[in-house]
Structure formats: structure tokens, C-alpha cells
Amino acid sequence: MNPAPVPFLEVDQVSKRFPGVKALSEVSLQVGVGESIAVIGENGAGKSTLMKILAGIQQPDRGTIRIDGKPVEVRSVTDAQRLGIALIHQELNLCDNLSVGANIYLGREPRKFGWIDQAAVNANSRKYLQQVGLDIDPRKPLAELSIGQQQLVEIAKALSCNARLLIMDEPTSSLSAREVERLFGVIQSLRADGVSIVYISHRLSEVHRVCDRVVALRDGQNSGGLSREEISHDNMVRLMVGRELDQFYAHQSQTPGEVVLQAKSLRTHAHPGHEISFQLKAGEIVGLAGLVGAGRTELFETLFGVHPPIGGTVEVAGKPVSIRSPRDAIRHEVFLVPEDRKAQGLVLPMDVGQNTSLPGLHRLSFLSWIDHGKEQRLIDEMIERMHVKTPNSRQIIQYLSGGNQQKVVIAKWLAMHPKVLLLDEPTRGIDVGAKHEIYELMEELARHGVAILFVSSEMEEILGMADRVLVMHEGALAGELTRDQLSEESVMNLATGQKLTAV
């Protein structure tokens, strides 16, 4: 009887503690040669910490890591690369101002007579680009590539370091459907060449397509695993949250009230040739659907004053308003939760409490003096209401999980009592438990008369949460669907420029 093959990677009872937080407690996993496993868990479950340990960004307090059966120490990113481990971050680690080849060999440039050997850079880069299915000139500026192509460049860069294990963190979060399919093809090709994959994604539908096994974490510990035959949405949710989610979308339509927001012949800076008209009523949850590049985010930025409209009018509560800046929008109680929470929604070096109270400090002040007691009561109320998992309000927000960061972005506007809440991809990159909490919050706000307009690229979310859906196509409003008209087919027909199929 042949002995079982030695796994490429073994993690044995690894633990890691930060001040006030036990991030990992005796976590173990194995990855075989050419095997693809998914590591799943709610935000804060310990996935990111474990991946950073494997990539040499952080070091464990206890536990053992073995490569090809031999114990190793991964004390730096250089150590990880030497051992064949590469982490593909969700936010790509590339330089827009350099060429594709320069990015692939950045810091490791081959040299000839002391000078960078550009011919070798280009020739070698071309080989790795072909391996990931990119037929482009290595001299091409990276800035001219799509996000999906840039992600493949990141993978080519890892392969140029002789990577034997690729850790992919939310690799499809910014990709179009076509780019996702291309990435999946590259993953299968790499696996056939013996490259192992650790796949992290909150899009559970992808896991069954890409992965051989599932390893689940909950509260920094192993909570179970699934073989390929056992992988299903319900089984994964059960392992992640430790409970059944009988009704994931808790949507119940409210009787809408008065019109709260109305756009009339609105023209945005991104698509000046199209006029957009629609209205939102109090207590409504309205979805805004469309393909990547349809103009959804640009519409939100116009409504919030990031980019003033170049034509048309906006009315709030029946009165024409001029929204030329976010300050104007905030004054009229129209608030935006942006897609990129880290760059646009938070001040990362500040703590949870400061981020929560920052927009409303003028309401907490008297004669320019902040009432810190009143401020702390508001912060505590929002943390409790949003179920933010944090040691205390003084925790620096960049150390919170993505889901908890998103809760703080929403909390700061809830404290301002919105009339209209614009949510741009509100559940992007967060786990199923946090998603469910945000859906429940949307329901609660609608019951209290808040008008909600939300963008989502997840069809299930649009179908599950919207009272009606506005669909955009190439900067124009292609149509509107009532709840009884909603289906994946009807949304996609409008999103691709087709007419609504008659029922």
C-alpha cells in the first residue's frame, strides 16, 4: 500500500494574538500539490491573519508551518517567496506608472554590465504572461490594462518568483463576468502544472467551481471542513456562522410614502449625452442594476455632489436643491456609502469612535467646544446598534475586518438621521453573516421612512432586496422593473441594451 503523498503546505496549530484580540487559536490546514482549497469565514474569523502569516507579513505566536514535510520559518515576504508562497492581494500591489514587464520584475531586475537588461525583462515576462493567457507586449504601460488584466499580471509576477502556492484574496471582486471566466481558466491551467491554490471569496457560488475542499474558520478557530461532494451554499453558511440562515433576505415591502428624492433630466459628467429621471419614495428600497461601466457609481457621485451635475435638477422632499458638493448633500440629508470604504469612507489612522462621530461633530458641539460625553454616548449607541465587533471605540479602524469597517461607514450616517441613503455595493467583500445584518438594517431603515437606493453587482441581492429596480446601460436609464417583473432575465435584458421581454 503506497503512503499518502506529503502535502505541499501544512499549518499545524498556529495561534496569533494582537492587543485585546485573539486572532487565531490553534488553526490547522493542509494543501496538496496542485490542490485548490477555499478558506471561508465571516469577517474577523481570522482568514486575513492566517494568510498574512503564510505570506511572511506577520509571524505566529505559536504553531508550526511545514513545506514538503519540513518545518520552516516564514519571517518575511522574501522568506515566503523563497519557499514558493505568493499572496495576491485584493487591492493589487502594482505600479501604474511602470510597464507590465517592469512590474513583473520590480526589485528583481536581471542586469547586464550593471544596467537593467531590458531585453531579458521583456523576454522572460512574455513567457509568464503567456502562462496566464495574456498576449500583450511587456513594454505596454500597466495603466492601459483593465483590472482583470492587471490581476493576471500579478499572477504572472508571482510565477516569475517560482510560486508553488498562490493565495488569492477576493480575486473576482472587481472583475467582469468575462474576466472571471478567464481567471477560472488560468487557475485550472496552473493546477494542472502543479501550482496549489488557496482561494478566499465571499462569493460562495464560486467555491464549488474552483475548489477541491473547503476549510472554515469561525472566531479564529477551525470550525470544520467540506469535501468536494459536500460543498454547498447551505453547508458553507452553517460552518461560517454556526447557525442556519433560514431566510437570508429578510425583505418585506413597505407602503411607500411621499417622494423624497427626484431627479429630473439629470446629466452626469461621465455620460453627458444622457438624461436620467427617476424618483424615490420614503420607505422604499430601490435597486440600481447594470453591467460594469454602466454609470451607476457616477450617478451616485452626482447625487452626492462629488461631481456636480452638468444639467437637470434634483429635488429633496419636494423642493429643488443645489448639490454641488458632498457638504450640500449632507445638509439636505442625502448620504453616500461608497464602494471603496477604505479610500473614500473611512479615515484609517483614526479610531472607531472618531470615524463614527466625525461627520456630525457640529451637532455635538456648543460654541466650538465638543461635548465629549454626548459624543461617546452616540458612539456607544452606534457600535451597539450596528453590532460592530471591536475591543472598544478607541480601536484603530484599519485593524477591523472589512465587514466591521463597513458597519462603521454606515453608522456614521445613521447618526445623522438620513432622508436618503445611497449604498454603492454595500456588501462587497464582506461575509454572509455581516451581509445578513446589513440587509436587516436596510429593512429597519425603510420601516422608519428612509429612502434607500443601492447598487449591487450580485443578482441575488438585487432580486432579494429591491421593491423595484432601475437598470442602467451605457450611462442611460434603460428601464424600470417592479417587484412582480423582477427576474434575472428581465434585468439582464435591460442591462445589455435589449427591450424588456413581454410577459
Side-chain angles (χ1 to χ4, degrees):
M1 186 174 180
N2 294 327
V6 176
F8 168 69
L9 170 73
E10 294 175 273
V11 176
D12 188 12
Q13 296 189 325
V14 163
S15 298
K16 178 69 175 179
R17 177 182 288 275
F18 297 105
V21 179
K22 193 172 187 178
L24 295 175
S25 178
E26 299 184 346
V27 168
S28 300
L29 65 82
Q30 296 182 351
V31 187
V33 175
E35 185 181 28
S36 176
I37 72 163
V39 177
I40 63 173
E42 295 187 84
N43 289 112
K47 304 187 303 297
S48 294
T49 301
L50 178 59
M51 297 309 121
K52 288 177 180 177
I53 287 173
L54 293 177
I57 299 169
Q58 295 171 350
Q59 284 72 52
D61 298 329
R62 293 190 306 278
T64 304
I65 298 173
R66 286 185 284 270
I67 298 290
D68 295 327
K70 299 177 182 178
V72 297
E73 291 188 350
V74 191
R75 297 193 174 278
S76 67
V77 174
T78 302
D79 284 348
Q81 291 177 344
R82 178 176 49 79
L83 293 166
I85 300 173
L87 171 60
I88 310 296
H89 294 271
Q90 183 176 353
E91 289 84 16
L92 300 180
N93 190 23
L94 298 170
C95 300
D96 284 350
N97 61 322
L98 298 179
S99 69
V100 170
N103 269 280
I104 291 175
Y105 277 97
L106 186 62
R108 303 176 293 109
E109 297 87 351
R111 294 184 177 270
K112 189 174 184 180
F113 305 121
W115 298 88
I116 293 175
D117 188 345
Q118 197 61 54
V121 168
N122 293 335
N124 294 339
S125 295
R126 199 180 301 277
K127 177 178 65 174
Y128 294 112
L129 290 170
Q130 289 175 350
Q131 192 172 348
V132 299
L134 268 184
D135 185 19
I136 59 174
D137 190 333
R139 295 170 295 183
K140 189 180 184 72
L142 185 87
E144 296 181 9
L145 272 58
S146 70
I147 293 295
Q149 290 175 317
Q150 290 184 25
Q151 191 153 51
L152 294 177
V153 171
E154 186 84 84
I155 296 173
K157 179 179 177 180
L159 295 177
S160 75
C161 299
N162 299 314
R164 297 175 60 196
L165 172 70
L166 291 182
I167 302 170
M168 296 185 171
D169 186 6
E170 298 289 347
T172 64
S173 61
S174 299
L175 303 188
S176 67
R178 181 176 298 178
E179 289 171 331
V180 168
E181 291 300 321
R182 187 175 190 179
L183 177 65
F184 287 171
V186 169
I187 289 174
Q188 294 303 327
S189 175
L190 293 174
R191 293 181 58 198
D193 291 338
V195 178
S196 305
I197 306 290
V198 173
Y199 194 86
I200 301 171
S201 178
H202 293 302
R203 295 181 176 180
L204 300 183
S205 60
E206 297 175 355
V207 170
H208 191 271
R209 293 192 58 187
V210 177
C211 300
D212 300 308
R213 288 187 296 114
V214 168
V215 174
L217 301 181
R218 186 168 69 245
D219 298 327
Q221 298 178 303
N222 288 100
S223 61
L226 299 171
S227 65
R228 173 125 187 117
E229 296 74 23
E230 296 171 323
I231 297 175
S232 70
H233 182 275
D234 289 348
N235 285 342
M236 287 188 281
V237 169
R238 190 178 303 112
L239 289 179
M240 283 194 291
V241 303
R243 63 184 186 277
E244 302 284 352
L245 293 181
D246 294 329
Q247 187 168 357
F248 191 60
Y249 300 103
H251 183 57
Q252 293 184 344
S253 295
Q254 308 295 317
T255 301
E258 299 294 322
V259 175
V260 178
L261 176 73
Q262 184 160 7
K264 296 180 178 179
S265 303
L266 194 67
R267 291 190 293 135
T268 70
H269 74 288
H271 300 280
H274 296 293
E275 295 183 346
I276 299 173
S277 299
F278 67 92
Q279 58 180 220
L280 295 177
K281 295 181 178 179
E284 274 193 310
I285 299 177
V286 178
L288 186 61
L291 302 177
V292 173
R296 299 169 299 171
T297 293
E298 290 80 2
L299 175 59
F300 272 18
E301 290 176 344
T302 300
L303 293 172
F304 192 60
V306 176
H307 299 287
I310 62 171
T313 59
V314 175
E315 295 180 3
V316 176
K319 298 179 180 179
V321 298
S322 175
I323 299 180
R324 312 293 298 178
S325 69
R327 185 187 297 272
D328 293 336
I330 291 169
R331 187 170 64 252
H332 294 296
E333 297 175 325
V334 177
F335 303 134
L336 169 65
V337 174
E339 179 181 9
D340 190 341
R341 55 181 169 263
K342 290 185 177 180
Q344 301 170 335
L346 298 167
V347 184
L348 294 179
M350 293 172 64
D351 64 36
V352 172
Q354 291 168 325
N355 273 277
T356 302
S357 64
L358 184 61
L361 285 179
H362 63 286
R363 301 187 180 193
L364 303 168
S365 305
F366 180 71
L367 298 177
S368 299
W369 292 91
I370 298 173
D371 184 336
H372 292 292
K374 188 175 181 181
E375 179 189 22
Q376 190 61 51
R377 288 191 294 273
L378 175 69
I379 291 167
D380 292 341
E381 177 189 345
M382 288 297 107
I383 288 175
E384 181 178 358
R385 181 178 178 184
M386 293 299 299
H387 306 292
V388 179
K389 294 178 181 177
T390 178
N392 53 61
S393 63
R394 296 181 300 279
Q395 174 73 22
I396 300 302
I397 201 162
Q398 69 185 35
Y399 299 126
L400 264 58
S401 66
N404 285 298
Q405 289 179 354
Q406 184 76 331
K407 291 178 184 179
V408 174
V409 177
I410 297 174
K412 72 178 184 181
W413 294 135
L414 292 193
M416 303 273 286
H417 307 293
K419 281 191 178 78
V420 178
L421 191 59
L422 308 173
L423 303 173
D424 194 354
E425 301 284 4
T427 64
R428 177 178 177 261
I430 65 175
D431 63 80
V432 292
K435 282 184 179 182
H436 190 61
E437 290 178 336
I438 288 177
Y439 298 150
E440 289 182 327
L441 175 68
M442 292 166 66
E443 290 290 304
E444 177 191 341
L445 292 173
R447 285 194 298 270
H448 286 85
V450 177
I452 297 174
L453 180 62
F454 77 100
V455 166
S456 178
S457 297
E458 294 191 30
M459 187 64 70
E460 289 182 359
E461 199 164 83
I462 289 285
L463 300 180
M465 287 301 299
D467 295 314
R468 56 189 175 93
V469 174
L470 306 174
V471 186
M472 296 192 69
H473 171 68
E474 294 183 350
L477 198 57
E480 178 181 332
L481 299 167
T482 60
R483 187 156 182 84
D484 58 359
Q485 294 174 311
L486 274 180
S487 69
E488 184 168 351
E489 181 182 7
S490 62
V491 172
M492 289 307 298
N493 279 342
L494 291 174
T496 54
Q498 301 176 50
K499 299 295 184 182
L500 180 63
T501 303
V503 179

PDB file of all heavy atoms in Angstrom, residues 196-222:
ATOM      1  N   SER A 196      -0.449  25.046  -6.366  1.00  0.00           N
ATOM      2  CA  SER A 196      -1.544  24.939  -5.399  1.00  0.00           C
ATOM      3  C   SER A 196      -2.216  26.303  -5.230  1.00  0.00           C
ATOM      4  O   SER A 196      -1.592  27.346  -5.401  1.00  0.00           O
ATOM      5  CB  SER A 196      -1.022  24.435  -4.056  1.00  0.00           C
ATOM      6  OG  SER A 196      -0.326  23.210  -4.206  1.00  0.00           O
ATOM      7  N   ILE A 197      -3.498  26.272  -4.867  1.00  0.00           N
ATOM      8  CA  ILE A 197      -4.285  27.497  -4.736  1.00  0.00           C
ATOM      9  C   ILE A 197      -4.985  27.522  -3.380  1.00  0.00           C
ATOM     10  O   ILE A 197      -5.611  26.529  -2.980  1.00  0.00           O
ATOM     11  CB  ILE A 197      -5.358  27.610  -5.843  1.00  0.00           C
ATOM     12  CG1 ILE A 197      -4.750  27.467  -7.244  1.00  0.00           C
ATOM     13  CG2 ILE A 197      -6.148  28.913  -5.705  1.00  0.00           C
ATOM     14  CD1 ILE A 197      -3.886  28.606  -7.680  1.00  0.00           C
ATOM     15  N   VAL A 198      -4.868  28.654  -2.679  1.00  0.00           N
ATOM     16  CA  VAL A 198      -5.737  28.935  -1.533  1.00  0.00           C
ATOM     17  C   VAL A 198      -6.649  30.074  -1.964  1.00  0.00           C
ATOM     18  O   VAL A 198      -6.186  31.170  -2.291  1.00  0.00           O
ATOM     19  CB  VAL A 198      -4.942  29.326  -0.272  1.00  0.00           C
ATOM     20  CG1 VAL A 198      -5.883  29.785   0.835  1.00  0.00           C
ATOM     21  CG2 VAL A 198      -4.115  28.143   0.214  1.00  0.00           C
ATOM     22  N   TYR A 199      -7.945  29.806  -1.988  1.00  0.00           N
ATOM     23  CA  TYR A 199      -8.922  30.725  -2.582  1.00  0.00           C
ATOM     24  C   TYR A 199      -9.818  31.287  -1.483  1.00  0.00           C
ATOM     25  O   TYR A 199     -10.468  30.538  -0.757  1.00  0.00           O
ATOM     26  CB  TYR A 199      -9.763  29.950  -3.602  1.00  0.00           C
ATOM     27  CG  TYR A 199     -10.589  30.791  -4.539  1.00  0.00           C
ATOM     28  CD1 TYR A 199     -10.038  31.295  -5.709  1.00  0.00           C
ATOM     29  CD2 TYR A 199     -11.923  31.068  -4.260  1.00  0.00           C
ATOM     30  CE1 TYR A 199     -10.795  32.049  -6.588  1.00  0.00           C
ATOM     31  CE2 TYR A 199     -12.685  31.822  -5.130  1.00  0.00           C
ATOM     32  CZ  TYR A 199     -12.113  32.305  -6.297  1.00  0.00           C
ATOM     33  OH  TYR A 199     -12.863  33.058  -7.165  1.00  0.00           O
ATOM     34  N   ILE A 200      -9.827  32.617  -1.381  1.00  0.00           N
ATOM     35  CA  ILE A 200     -10.658  33.287  -0.373  1.00  0.00           C
ATOM     36  C   ILE A 200     -11.680  34.133  -1.100  1.00  0.00           C
ATOM     37  O   ILE A 200     -11.336  35.007  -1.890  1.00  0.00           O
ATOM     38  CB  ILE A 200      -9.808  34.177   0.552  1.00  0.00           C
ATOM     39  CG1 ILE A 200      -8.740  33.346   1.255  1.00  0.00           C
ATOM     40  CG2 ILE A 200     -10.677  34.888   1.575  1.00  0.00           C
ATOM     41  CD1 ILE A 200      -7.732  34.171   2.017  1.00  0.00           C
ATOM     42  N   SER A 201     -12.960  33.867  -0.857  1.00  0.00           N
ATOM     43  CA  SER A 201     -14.006  34.643  -1.512  1.00  0.00           C
ATOM     44  C   SER A 201     -15.279  34.564  -0.694  1.00  0.00           C
ATOM     45  O   SER A 201     -15.601  33.531  -0.095  1.00  0.00           O
ATOM     46  CB  SER A 201     -14.270  34.119  -2.927  1.00  0.00           C
ATOM     47  OG  SER A 201     -15.307  34.857  -3.536  1.00  0.00           O
ATOM     48  N   HIS A 202     -16.010  35.709  -0.668  1.00  0.00           N
ATOM     49  CA  HIS A 202     -17.335  35.711  -0.060  1.00  0.00           C
ATOM     50  C   HIS A 202     -18.414  35.358  -1.073  1.00  0.00           C
ATOM     51  O   HIS A 202     -19.579  35.254  -0.732  1.00  0.00           O
ATOM     52  CB  HIS A 202     -17.634  37.081   0.553  1.00  0.00           C
ATOM     53  CG  HIS A 202     -16.767  37.396   1.734  1.00  0.00           C
ATOM     54  ND1 HIS A 202     -16.725  36.594   2.850  1.00  0.00           N
ATOM     55  CD2 HIS A 202     -15.903  38.402   1.972  1.00  0.00           C
ATOM     56  CE1 HIS A 202     -15.883  37.110   3.733  1.00  0.00           C
ATOM     57  NE2 HIS A 202     -15.362  38.193   3.203  1.00  0.00           N
ATOM     58  N   ARG A 203     -18.007  35.188  -2.335  1.00  0.00           N
ATOM     59  CA  ARG A 203     -18.945  34.736  -3.358  1.00  0.00           C
ATOM     60  C   ARG A 203     -18.942  33.211  -3.340  1.00  0.00           C
ATOM     61  O   ARG A 203     -18.176  32.551  -4.048  1.00  0.00           O
ATOM     62  CB  ARG A 203     -18.535  35.276  -4.729  1.00  0.00           C
ATOM     63  CG  ARG A 203     -18.620  36.805  -4.808  1.00  0.00           C
ATOM     64  CD  ARG A 203     -18.227  37.312  -6.184  1.00  0.00           C
ATOM     65  NE  ARG A 203     -18.396  38.754  -6.282  1.00  0.00           N
ATOM     66  CZ  ARG A 203     -18.131  39.468  -7.363  1.00  0.00           C
ATOM     67  NH1 ARG A 203     -17.658  38.867  -8.444  1.00  0.00           N
ATOM     68  NH2 ARG A 203     -18.324  40.774  -7.371  1.00  0.00           N
ATOM     69  N   LEU A 204     -19.806  32.648  -2.521  1.00  0.00           N
ATOM     70  CA  LEU A 204     -19.766  31.215  -2.263  1.00  0.00           C
ATOM     71  C   LEU A 204     -20.071  30.394  -3.500  1.00  0.00           C
ATOM     72  O   LEU A 204     -19.658  29.230  -3.599  1.00  0.00           O
ATOM     73  CB  LEU A 204     -20.742  30.875  -1.134  1.00  0.00           C
ATOM     74  CG  LEU A 204     -20.467  31.569   0.211  1.00  0.00           C
ATOM     75  CD1 LEU A 204     -21.463  31.090   1.265  1.00  0.00           C
ATOM     76  CD2 LEU A 204     -19.041  31.314   0.684  1.00  0.00           C
ATOM     77  N   SER A 205     -20.787  30.990  -4.456  1.00  0.00           N
ATOM     78  CA  SER A 205     -21.103  30.247  -5.678  1.00  0.00           C
ATOM     79  C   SER A 205     -19.846  29.888  -6.459  1.00  0.00           C
ATOM     80  O   SER A 205     -19.838  28.939  -7.255  1.00  0.00           O
ATOM     81  CB  SER A 205     -22.047  31.069  -6.560  1.00  0.00           C
ATOM     82  OG  SER A 205     -21.452  32.311  -6.917  1.00  0.00           O
ATOM     83  N   GLU A 206     -18.757  30.669  -6.255  1.00  0.00           N
ATOM     84  CA  GLU A 206     -17.512  30.404  -6.981  1.00  0.00           C
ATOM     85  C   GLU A 206     -16.735  29.228  -6.397  1.00  0.00           C
ATOM     86  O   GLU A 206     -15.960  28.581  -7.101  1.00  0.00           O
ATOM     87  CB  GLU A 206     -16.622  31.645  -6.953  1.00  0.00           C
ATOM     88  CG  GLU A 206     -17.219  32.850  -7.635  1.00  0.00           C
ATOM     89  CD  GLU A 206     -16.346  34.087  -7.481  1.00  0.00           C
ATOM     90  OE1 GLU A 206     -15.328  34.023  -6.758  1.00  0.00           O
ATOM     91  OE2 GLU A 206     -16.690  35.112  -8.092  1.00  0.00           O
ATOM     92  N   VAL A 207     -16.930  28.977  -5.115  1.00  0.00           N
ATOM     93  CA  VAL A 207     -16.098  27.991  -4.416  1.00  0.00           C
ATOM     94  C   VAL A 207     -16.252  26.605  -5.033  1.00  0.00           C
ATOM     95  O   VAL A 207     -15.267  25.888  -5.248  1.00  0.00           O
ATOM     96  CB  VAL A 207     -16.438  27.980  -2.912  1.00  0.00           C
ATOM     97  CG1 VAL A 207     -15.760  26.806  -2.220  1.00  0.00           C
ATOM     98  CG2 VAL A 207     -16.018  29.299  -2.272  1.00  0.00           C
ATOM     99  N   HIS A 208     -17.494  26.218  -5.336  1.00  0.00           N
ATOM    100  CA  HIS A 208     -17.720  24.879  -5.886  1.00  0.00           C
ATOM    101  C   HIS A 208     -17.058  24.724  -7.244  1.00  0.00           C
ATOM    102  O   HIS A 208     -16.580  23.644  -7.604  1.00  0.00           O
ATOM    103  CB  HIS A 208     -19.220  24.601  -5.997  1.00  0.00           C
ATOM    104  CG  HIS A 208     -19.542  23.168  -6.312  1.00  0.00           C
ATOM    105  ND1 HIS A 208     -19.642  22.699  -7.597  1.00  0.00           N
ATOM    106  CD2 HIS A 208     -19.761  22.095  -5.499  1.00  0.00           C
ATOM    107  CE1 HIS A 208     -19.923  21.411  -7.573  1.00  0.00           C
ATOM    108  NE2 HIS A 208     -19.994  21.020  -6.323  1.00  0.00           N
ATOM    109  N   ARG A 209     -16.971  25.815  -8.003  1.00  0.00           N
ATOM    110  CA  ARG A 209     -16.378  25.750  -9.333  1.00  0.00           C
ATOM    111  C   ARG A 209     -14.861  25.636  -9.280  1.00  0.00           C
ATOM    112  O   ARG A 209     -14.254  25.038 -10.173  1.00  0.00           O
ATOM    113  CB  ARG A 209     -16.758  27.001 -10.126  1.00  0.00           C
ATOM    114  CG  ARG A 209     -18.225  27.110 -10.470  1.00  0.00           C
ATOM    115  CD  ARG A 209     -18.448  28.209 -11.487  1.00  0.00           C
ATOM    116  NE  ARG A 209     -17.668  27.972 -12.704  1.00  0.00           N
ATOM    117  CZ  ARG A 209     -17.572  28.837 -13.704  1.00  0.00           C
ATOM    118  NH1 ARG A 209     -18.208  29.983 -13.625  1.00  0.00           N
ATOM    119  NH2 ARG A 209     -16.847  28.560 -14.765  1.00  0.00           N
ATOM    120  N   VAL A 210     -14.250  26.208  -8.264  1.00  0.00           N
ATOM    121  CA  VAL A 210     -12.792  26.373  -8.255  1.00  0.00           C
ATOM    122  C   VAL A 210     -12.086  25.397  -7.325  1.00  0.00           C
ATOM    123  O   VAL A 210     -10.931  25.038  -7.566  1.00  0.00           O
ATOM    124  CB  VAL A 210     -12.441  27.831  -7.858  1.00  0.00           C
ATOM    125  CG1 VAL A 210     -10.945  28.035  -7.755  1.00  0.00           C
ATOM    126  CG2 VAL A 210     -13.025  28.803  -8.873  1.00  0.00           C
ATOM    127  N   CYS A 211     -12.759  24.957  -6.271  1.00  0.00           N
ATOM    128  CA  CYS A 211     -12.041  24.322  -5.149  1.00  0.00           C
ATOM    129  C   CYS A 211     -12.355  22.844  -4.972  1.00  0.00           C
ATOM    130  O   CYS A 211     -13.468  22.379  -5.243  1.00  0.00           O
ATOM    131  CB  CYS A 211     -12.344  25.077  -3.855  1.00  0.00           C
ATOM    132  SG  CYS A 211     -11.832  26.810  -3.942  1.00  0.00           S
ATOM    133  N   ASP A 212     -11.336  22.113  -4.466  1.00  0.00           N
ATOM    134  CA  ASP A 212     -11.477  20.698  -4.145  1.00  0.00           C
ATOM    135  C   ASP A 212     -12.021  20.486  -2.741  1.00  0.00           C
ATOM    136  O   ASP A 212     -12.728  19.516  -2.476  1.00  0.00           O
ATOM    137  CB  ASP A 212     -10.109  19.999  -4.235  1.00  0.00           C
ATOM    138  CG  ASP A 212      -9.504  20.107  -5.611  1.00  0.00           C
ATOM    139  OD1 ASP A 212     -10.195  19.767  -6.583  1.00  0.00           O
ATOM    140  OD2 ASP A 212      -8.342  20.548  -5.720  1.00  0.00           O
ATOM    141  N   ARG A 213     -11.647  21.389  -1.835  1.00  0.00           N
ATOM    142  CA  ARG A 213     -12.073  21.271  -0.437  1.00  0.00           C
ATOM    143  C   ARG A 213     -12.346  22.667   0.127  1.00  0.00           C
ATOM    144  O   ARG A 213     -11.909  23.677  -0.427  1.00  0.00           O
ATOM    145  CB  ARG A 213     -10.980  20.613   0.431  1.00  0.00           C
ATOM    146  CG  ARG A 213     -10.781  19.139   0.215  1.00  0.00           C
ATOM    147  CD  ARG A 213      -9.813  18.554   1.247  1.00  0.00           C
ATOM    148  NE  ARG A 213      -8.470  19.121   1.132  1.00  0.00           N
ATOM    149  CZ  ARG A 213      -7.891  19.875   2.061  1.00  0.00           C
ATOM    150  NH1 ARG A 213      -8.537  20.196   3.186  1.00  0.00           N
ATOM    151  NH2 ARG A 213      -6.647  20.326   1.892  1.00  0.00           N
ATOM    152  N   VAL A 214     -13.033  22.674   1.252  1.00  0.00           N
ATOM    153  CA  VAL A 214     -13.311  23.911   1.983  1.00  0.00           C
ATOM    154  C   VAL A 214     -12.812  23.754   3.409  1.00  0.00           C
ATOM    155  O   VAL A 214     -13.045  22.720   4.054  1.00  0.00           O
ATOM    156  CB  VAL A 214     -14.820  24.231   1.992  1.00  0.00           C
ATOM    157  CG1 VAL A 214     -15.137  25.339   2.989  1.00  0.00           C
ATOM    158  CG2 VAL A 214     -15.293  24.622   0.603  1.00  0.00           C
ATOM    159  N   VAL A 215     -12.094  24.778   3.891  1.00  0.00           N
ATOM    160  CA  VAL A 215     -11.703  24.872   5.303  1.00  0.00           C
ATOM    161  C   VAL A 215     -12.380  26.116   5.861  1.00  0.00           C
ATOM    162  O   VAL A 215     -12.218  27.213   5.318  1.00  0.00           O
ATOM    163  CB  VAL A 215     -10.177  24.979   5.456  1.00  0.00           C
ATOM    164  CG1 VAL A 215      -9.801  25.228   6.923  1.00  0.00           C
ATOM    165  CG2 VAL A 215      -9.495  23.722   4.936  1.00  0.00           C
ATOM    166  N   ALA A 216     -13.160  25.954   6.923  1.00  0.00           N
ATOM    167  CA  ALA A 216     -13.914  27.071   7.502  1.00  0.00           C
ATOM    168  C   ALA A 216     -13.304  27.505   8.825  1.00  0.00           C
ATOM    169  O   ALA A 216     -12.869  26.673   9.635  1.00  0.00           O
ATOM    170  CB  ALA A 216     -15.374  26.680   7.708  1.00  0.00           C
ATOM    171  N   LEU A 217     -13.255  28.828   9.040  1.00  0.00           N
ATOM    172  CA  LEU A 217     -12.809  29.410  10.304  1.00  0.00           C
ATOM    173  C   LEU A 217     -13.962  30.174  10.934  1.00  0.00           C
ATOM    174  O   LEU A 217     -14.767  30.792  10.233  1.00  0.00           O
ATOM    175  CB  LEU A 217     -11.629  30.365  10.082  1.00  0.00           C
ATOM    176  CG  LEU A 217     -10.358  29.802   9.438  1.00  0.00           C
ATOM    177  CD1 LEU A 217      -9.305  30.905   9.327  1.00  0.00           C
ATOM    178  CD2 LEU A 217      -9.816  28.630  10.229  1.00  0.00           C
ATOM    179  N   ARG A 218     -14.018  30.134  12.250  1.00  0.00           N
ATOM    180  CA  ARG A 218     -15.007  30.928  12.994  1.00  0.00           C
ATOM    181  C   ARG A 218     -14.381  31.359  14.309  1.00  0.00           C
ATOM    182  O   ARG A 218     -13.852  30.527  15.055  1.00  0.00           O
ATOM    183  CB  ARG A 218     -16.287  30.129  13.254  1.00  0.00           C
ATOM    184  CG  ARG A 218     -17.386  30.961  13.898  1.00  0.00           C
ATOM    185  CD  ARG A 218     -18.733  30.263  13.898  1.00  0.00           C
ATOM    186  NE  ARG A 218     -18.789  29.112  14.779  1.00  0.00           N
ATOM    187  CZ  ARG A 218     -18.959  27.865  14.379  1.00  0.00           C
ATOM    188  NH1 ARG A 218     -19.070  27.588  13.087  1.00  0.00           N
ATOM    189  NH2 ARG A 218     -19.002  26.876  15.250  1.00  0.00           N
ATOM    190  N   ASP A 219     -14.369  32.676  14.545  1.00  0.00           N
ATOM    191  CA  ASP A 219     -13.794  33.243  15.770  1.00  0.00           C
ATOM    192  C   ASP A 219     -12.350  32.801  15.979  1.00  0.00           C
ATOM    193  O   ASP A 219     -11.924  32.488  17.093  1.00  0.00           O
ATOM    194  CB  ASP A 219     -14.640  32.859  16.990  1.00  0.00           C
ATOM    195  CG  ASP A 219     -16.056  33.409  16.902  1.00  0.00           C
ATOM    196  OD1 ASP A 219     -16.237  34.504  16.336  1.00  0.00           O
ATOM    197  OD2 ASP A 219     -16.982  32.730  17.392  1.00  0.00           O
ATOM    198  N   GLY A 220     -11.575  32.755  14.874  1.00  0.00           N
ATOM    199  CA  GLY A 220     -10.162  32.440  14.974  1.00  0.00           C
ATOM    200  C   GLY A 220      -9.825  30.980  15.146  1.00  0.00           C
ATOM    201  O   GLY A 220      -8.674  30.638  15.409  1.00  0.00           O
ATOM    202  N   GLN A 221     -10.808  30.089  14.961  1.00  0.00           N
ATOM    203  CA  GLN A 221     -10.580  28.654  15.138  1.00  0.00           C
ATOM    204  C   GLN A 221     -11.136  27.890  13.954  1.00  0.00           C
ATOM    205  O   GLN A 221     -12.017  28.365  13.230  1.00  0.00           O
ATOM    206  CB  GLN A 221     -11.263  28.161  16.425  1.00  0.00           C
ATOM    207  CG  GLN A 221     -10.736  28.795  17.703  1.00  0.00           C
ATOM    208  CD  GLN A 221     -11.494  28.303  18.917  1.00  0.00           C
ATOM    209  OE1 GLN A 221     -12.718  28.433  18.999  1.00  0.00           O
ATOM    210  NE2 GLN A 221     -10.774  27.726  19.872  1.00  0.00           N
ATOM    211  N   ASN A 222     -10.621  26.667  13.751  1.00  0.00           N
ATOM    212  CA  ASN A 222     -11.224  25.783  12.760  1.00  0.00           C
ATOM    213  C   ASN A 222     -12.651  25.453  13.163  1.00  0.00           C
ATOM    214  O   ASN A 222     -12.905  25.075  14.311  1.00  0.00           O
ATOM    215  CB  ASN A 222     -10.423  24.479  12.643  1.00  0.00           C
ATOM    216  CG  ASN A 222      -9.094  24.662  11.944  1.00  0.00           C
ATOM    217  OD1 ASN A 222      -8.054  24.752  12.602  1.00  0.00           O
ATOM    218  ND2 ASN A 222      -9.108  24.713  10.622  1.00  0.00           N
TER     219      ASN A 222
END
